[in-house]
Amino acid sequence: MADGQGTTGAILVVGGGISGLTSALEAAEVGNDVIIVEKSPTLGGRVAQLNKYFPKMCPPSCGLEINYQRIKKNRKIRTYTMTTVKSVSGKPGNYEVTLEIKPRYVTCNCAVCGSCASSVPDKFENEFNFGMDEIGAVYLPHEMAYPRRYVINKDALSPESIAKLSECKNGGIDMSMSVETKTLHVSSIIWATGWVPYDASRIDNLKYDSSDAIITNMEMERLAAPSGPTNGKILRPGDGKEPESIAFVQCAGSRDENHLEYCSYICCMATFKQMTYIREQYPDAQIYVFYIDLRTPGKYEKFRGQRMQDEKAVFIKGKVADIIPEEDGGVTVVAENAQTMKKIQQKVDMAVLATGMQPSAAIDGVPEGFKTDANGFVISDPARGIFSAGCAKKASDVATTTQNSTAAALKAIQVSRRGGING
Ligand SMILES: Cc1cc2nc3c(=O)[nH]c(=O)nc-3n(C[C@H](O)[C@H](O)[C@H](O)COP(=O)(O)OP(=O)(O)OC[C@H]3O[C@@H](n4cnc5c(N)ncnc54)[C@H](O)[C@@H]3O)c2cc1C
């Protein structure tokens, strides 16, 4: 690829999740220069956090590894991790973009030998596992981390540890690194910054913060994952109990004007998927699913049909009004059955809140001049050569995400080939 300063004609892809990777690869494989800017230390986004993904129920490595291999082979793609966009100015065909790059404190000399990681005792809350365990302050963010380079959380290190790390014999550590800025010129921009789990502690009646037995659907993904905090065993956080009964609370904060007014499209499918995680480990566990509607559009109907044949699963049409923590560590889920109009109080060992996907842009914002809708989803602006993709555009599954990311790549290629919107 051309030098970082001379990237005119290149496409900037912001966000290195499955949508950003798709857009980047589609554009690069037809010859475009592409720059990926990723906020975290690794590519892969939220898909890397899933235990398995529907409909095929394969581990995320099968989808991500192929993309990593394609990226490794493609000299047209340049990646900046731990990087965000600070400003965008200019016009289609010639945007000037300023990046801010956070220090990794690990240099390209790192041999990934891991001796630094084991030489210091310091730890901090593991964000990848939603704080359900800790990770060393010198760390690979997760087992599929790509690029496969260590990261150092300097704030979590003692002065003695910092001194020790500076002794790396390969010159792989540089504790004097600081925040850098970099300016690029690109022709068009794809915004693929994805989503964050809706903050469950904001849904007062579901009492997420009041009991370890109440978890979110993304926490369930990590509990079930072999690389997760319990090595894949689904146990109640806090006391480690093997759950004999589990309730899924659908639309937790979704389709609700006080929280997320839209349907996140995947939460019902995520629950059906997570029922299989439970069944694999606990054949006799009782499952309750509280829902408003069960939405599994199109090709997903079959998946739902199979899961609904589970004889130990009860589906209750009724919005959950309250979850009451109990002294034995369990919780009681309170709802009204909309079909029988009877009030239900169901005691369970664990409750899983099916929280929706909120666009990252709703939290972090977007550069000046970019457009978002009322919920924070980024609106494509073809006249300006700016396109949104994946869950930055709309809440969706991986299949839909990759489709609209391919479409965004095509539009961005057209702008870059024309040298601007009007040629
Ligand atoms: C509980 C649950 C289970 C799910 N299970 C499935 C499933 O089984 N099958 C399925 O098809 N879908 C599933 N999904 C949906 C799936 O996770 C999404 O479709 C997918 O993550 C969308 O990818 P994305 O690249 O758009 O966003 P993300 O995965 O969020 O990736 C966005 C990337 O952008 C980066 N980023 C964010 N902000 C910035 C910034 N300002 N600058 C630079 N980089 C930034 C992030 O760090 C991240 O790497 C599930 C969702 C949930 C909630």
Side-chain angles (χ1 to χ4, degrees):
M1 180 200 276
D3 171 67
Q5 306 303 322
T7 48
T8 309
I11 296 169
L12 174 68
V13 176
V14 183
I18 194 74
S19 57
L21 293 177
T22 304
S23 293
L25 283 161
E26 296 298 353
E29 287 178 357
V30 294
N32 269 82
D33 286 331
V34 176
I35 297 152
I36 302 176
V37 165
E38 165 57 47
K39 180 165 82 166
S40 79
T42 77
L43 303 177
R46 298 274 168 200
V47 166
Q49 286 178 300
L50 305 178
N51 172 39
K52 294 182 185 172
Y53 66 110
F54 59 73
K56 289 192 179 162
M57 298 298 278
C58 46
S61 52
C62 47
L64 291 177
E65 271 302 329
I66 295 165
N67 286 320
Y68 296 159
Q69 292 303 331
R70 287 166 71 192
I71 285 192
K72 266 185 216 167
K73 284 186 202 143
N74 200 312
R75 295 173 63 84
K76 291 274 174 191
I77 300 177
R78 175 176 298 188
T79 303
Y80 293 95
T81 51
M82 302 183 76
T83 303
T84 49
V85 171
K86 281 293 129 196
S87 65
V88 175
S89 59
K91 58 180 183 148
N94 188 13
Y95 278 115
E96 184 173 294
V97 180
T98 307
L99 307 180
E100 185 176 278
I101 308 167
K102 289 216 174 102
R104 188 182 271 266
Y105 303 111
V106 172
T107 72
C108 52
N109 294 330
C110 172
V112 205
C113 69
S115 55
C116 53
S118 51
S119 72
V120 293
D122 318 71
K123 289 187 177 323
F124 70 108
E125 202 172 82
N126 187 353
E127 202 186 320
F128 191 74
N129 286 339
F130 299 101
M132 291 186 284
D133 63 356
E134 290 191 316
I135 191 166
V138 181
Y139 64 106
L140 282 171
H142 55 85
E143 59 169 10
M144 274 182 296
Y146 180 84
R148 198 151 188 83
R149 283 173 67 199
Y150 277 88
V151 194
I152 296 181
N153 179 349
K154 196 175 180 184
D155 294 338
L157 288 170
S158 68
E160 298 76 48
S161 297
I162 292 176
K164 198 169 197 175
L165 288 172
S166 306
E167 291 164 9
C168 170
K169 59 179 184 308
N170 299 321
I173 293 179
D174 177 1
M175 295 307 287
S176 69
M177 279 182 181
S178 57
V179 174
E180 283 175 35
T181 55
K182 190 170 190 71
T183 303
L184 304 171
H185 291 91
V186 296
S187 63
S188 56
I189 301 172
I190 297 176
W191 206 259
T193 51
W195 60 280
V196 291
Y198 185 68
D199 181 0
S201 51
R202 297 182 65 181
I203 317 163
D204 292 341
N205 62 313
L206 301 183
K207 313 249 182 67
Y208 172 69
D209 290 327
S210 69
S211 167
D212 288 333
I214 307 172
I215 64 168
T216 67
N217 49 8
M218 280 306 282
E219 287 170 341
M220 175 57 93
E221 291 293 330
R222 296 312 303 147
L223 280 182
S227 60
T230 51
N231 299 320
K233 184 84 183 156
I234 299 168
L235 300 170
R236 183 162 70 192
D239 63 4
K241 182 182 189 309
E242 296 192 354
E244 289 164 42
S245 54
I246 296 193
F248 287 92
V249 179
Q250 298 308 110
C251 292
S254 295
R255 301 169 66 197
D256 180 338
E257 284 187 356
N258 296 312
H259 300 286
L260 302 181
E261 65 176 15
Y262 52 89
C263 165
S264 275
Y265 187 82
I266 54 76
C267 307
C268 291
M269 277 298 286
T271 288
F272 284 121
K273 172 178 70 163
Q274 295 182 352
M275 282 175 64
T276 66
Y277 300 168
I278 291 163
R279 222 14 109 232
E280 281 164 9
Q281 297 190 20
Y282 302 108
D284 295 324
Q286 188 66 47
I287 297 173
Y288 302 90
V289 181
F290 292 86
Y291 67 94
I292 309 175
D293 300 298
L294 289 173
R295 292 181 169 174
T296 50
K299 58 190 182 292
Y300 293 143
E301 284 296 315
K302 196 170 165 198
F303 191 94
R304 158 192 169 158
Q306 287 161 349
R307 298 321 180 269
M308 286 189 81
Q309 283 169 14
D310 186 322
E311 286 177 358
K312 287 190 176 356
V314 181
F315 293 83
I316 302 141
K317 186 172 172 70
K319 196 170 164 71
V320 171
D322 196 5
I323 302 183
I324 304 163
E326 301 292 355
E327 276 182 11
D328 68 354
V331 289
T332 297
V333 179
V334 182
E336 186 178 272
N337 186 320
Q339 284 160 329
T340 63
M341 303 311 281
K342 283 197 181 132
K343 193 170 174 185
I344 304 162
Q345 301 221 6
Q346 184 59 58
K347 170 88 195 322
V348 286
D349 287 336
M350 280 172 78
V352 183
L353 308 184
T355 43
M357 300 191 281
Q358 185 169 28
S360 301
I363 312 285
D364 296 338
V366 284
E368 208 182 316
F370 281 50
K371 293 181 196 160
T372 56
D373 70 13
N375 295 304
F377 290 106
V378 181
I379 301 170
S380 290
D381 193 348
R384 297 190 59 218
I386 293 169
F387 306 97
S388 57
C391 286
K393 184 184 186 73
K394 65 174 189 176
S396 50
D397 58 346
V398 171
T400 310
T401 282
T402 50
Q403 283 162 9
N404 71 33
S405 303
T406 303
L410 175 63
K411 292 284 178 192
I413 292 166
Q414 289 169 350
V415 177
S416 79
R417 297 284 161 96
R418 286 198 300 255
I421 293 295
N422 298 317

